[in-house]
Amino acid sequence: ETGVTQSPTHLIKTRGQQVTLRCSSQSGHNTVSWYQQALGQGPQFIFQYYREEENGRGNFPPRFSGLQFPNYSSELNVNALELDDSALYLCASSEDNTDTQYFGPGTRLTVL
Amino acid sequence: QQQVKQSPQSLIVQKGGISIINCAYENTAFDYFPWYQQFPGKGPALLIAIRPDVSEKKEGRFTISFNKSAKQFSLHIMDSQPGDSATYFCAASYLNAGNTGKLIFGQGTTLQVKP
């Protein structure tokens, strides 16, 4: 176990709705990264937060947004859901000045 | 230049055999190359990682071979077991001003180890 937890495990939404996914990092890990993993694909980097500030973003539209809180929890928000947003969403936490990222179990989002 | 290409897409190996998965990258700024193992419905779990200053790293039955000049690295699983059946991802990243870099993942290899 990595000590990184995510909620909920599964989620079903309809197109156009908004969703919030949650992640709890390991204590002391100031960096959290979010990834989207479509079925049969490798994870794709969405964005990263460091000490509550966005610290890098992948090729995802602005309707993907995030927050990081001082208690090592974070959120991924997706507005105006599209069918292609159906995927496993993963968060990963890491310590300062390290490469190693520890992944949570993911949230499976289905958009109908 | 940010891509990591992984092959094969799928692999079937007999129990006790050697599983070999290959990856290639373009960006010479990458300085961290991990391999992740993922079971269905689970998040990726770090298996083993290497930096470009060494050509090989071994942990138990898992070995990474790294060829800096060819910009290639590979995962070898010795004495493969049915419990190793999973999807394996190579990845690459570099530290960004002291902060953890974004991981660029390969497309994944589904390994099946037959009893």
Side-chain angles (χ1 to χ4, degrees):
Chain A
E1 297 299 322
T2 63
V4 180
T5 60
Q6 291 186 244
S7 63
T9 305
H10 297 91
L11 200 53
I12 299 175
K13 292 285 189 178
T14 56
R15 203 171 59 178
Q17 284 189 311
Q18 177 266 342
V19 68
T20 297
L21 311 181
R22 293 180 172 84
C23 172
S24 181
S25 303
Q26 286 192 38
S27 179
H29 286 197
N30 293 310
T31 299
V32 64
S33 304
W34 286 89
Y35 294 82
Q36 180 195 65
Q37 185 176 22
L39 202 60
Q41 302 293 320
Q44 298 287 317
F45 176 75
I46 302 174
F47 46 55
Q48 182 182 91
Y49 278 78
Y50 175 71
R51 294 185 183 269
E52 302 162 54
E53 297 285 333
E54 187 176 296
N55 183 45
R57 189 176 184 91
N59 190 26
F60 281 82
R63 59 189 185 83
F64 286 78
S65 63
L67 287 171
Q68 186 186 26
F69 304 101
N71 64 351
Y72 304 109
S73 66
S74 56
E75 292 179 354
L76 164 65
N77 299 288
V78 187
N79 293 322
L81 283 167
E82 301 177 0
L83 297 179
D84 285 349
D85 296 333
S86 295
L88 181 68
Y89 287 86
L90 299 159
C91 71
S93 74
S94 51
E95 295 178 275
D96 291 2
N97 298 311
T98 65
D99 298 293
T100 306
Q101 296 188 35
Y102 299 94
F103 283 83
T107 293
R108 172 70 63 187
L109 172 64
T110 301
V111 182
L112 301 176
Chain B
Q1 209 183 18
Q2 289 288 324
Q3 281 189 325
V4 176
K5 295 184 179 179
Q6 182 172 346
S7 63
Q9 187 174 355
S10 62
L11 184 61
I12 300 174
V13 173
Q14 291 295 127
K15 179 182 175 181
I18 302 173
S19 304
I20 301 174
I21 305 170
N22 301 298
C23 282
Y25 65 97
E26 288 294 325
N27 189 346
T28 55
F30 289 142
D31 62 4
Y32 175 69
F33 302 89
W35 284 89
Y36 282 86
Q37 178 190 57
Q38 186 175 30
F39 292 103
K42 305 292 185 183
L46 179 65
L47 259 183
I48 186 173
I50 198 169
R51 295 191 183 281
D53 54 346
V54 297
S55 60
E56 186 175 282
K57 182 175 181 180
K58 183 177 180 179
E59 290 183 2
R61 296 185 293 110
F62 302 94
T63 299
I64 299 179
S65 297
F66 188 85
N67 186 330
K68 188 174 181 178
S69 61
K71 292 187 283 187
Q72 295 176 347
F73 59 110
S74 60
L75 175 69
H76 296 233
I77 305 174
M78 312 300 286
D79 187 26
S80 299
Q81 299 296 313
D84 296 330
S85 297
T87 301
Y88 292 80
F89 292 96
C90 63
S93 73
Y94 55 87
L95 280 177
N96 179 19
N99 295 320
T100 307
K102 65 178 181 180
L103 286 167
I104 308 298
F105 282 87
Q107 298 90 330
T109 296
T110 301
L111 170 65
Q112 181 184 358
V113 181
K114 290 195 168 184

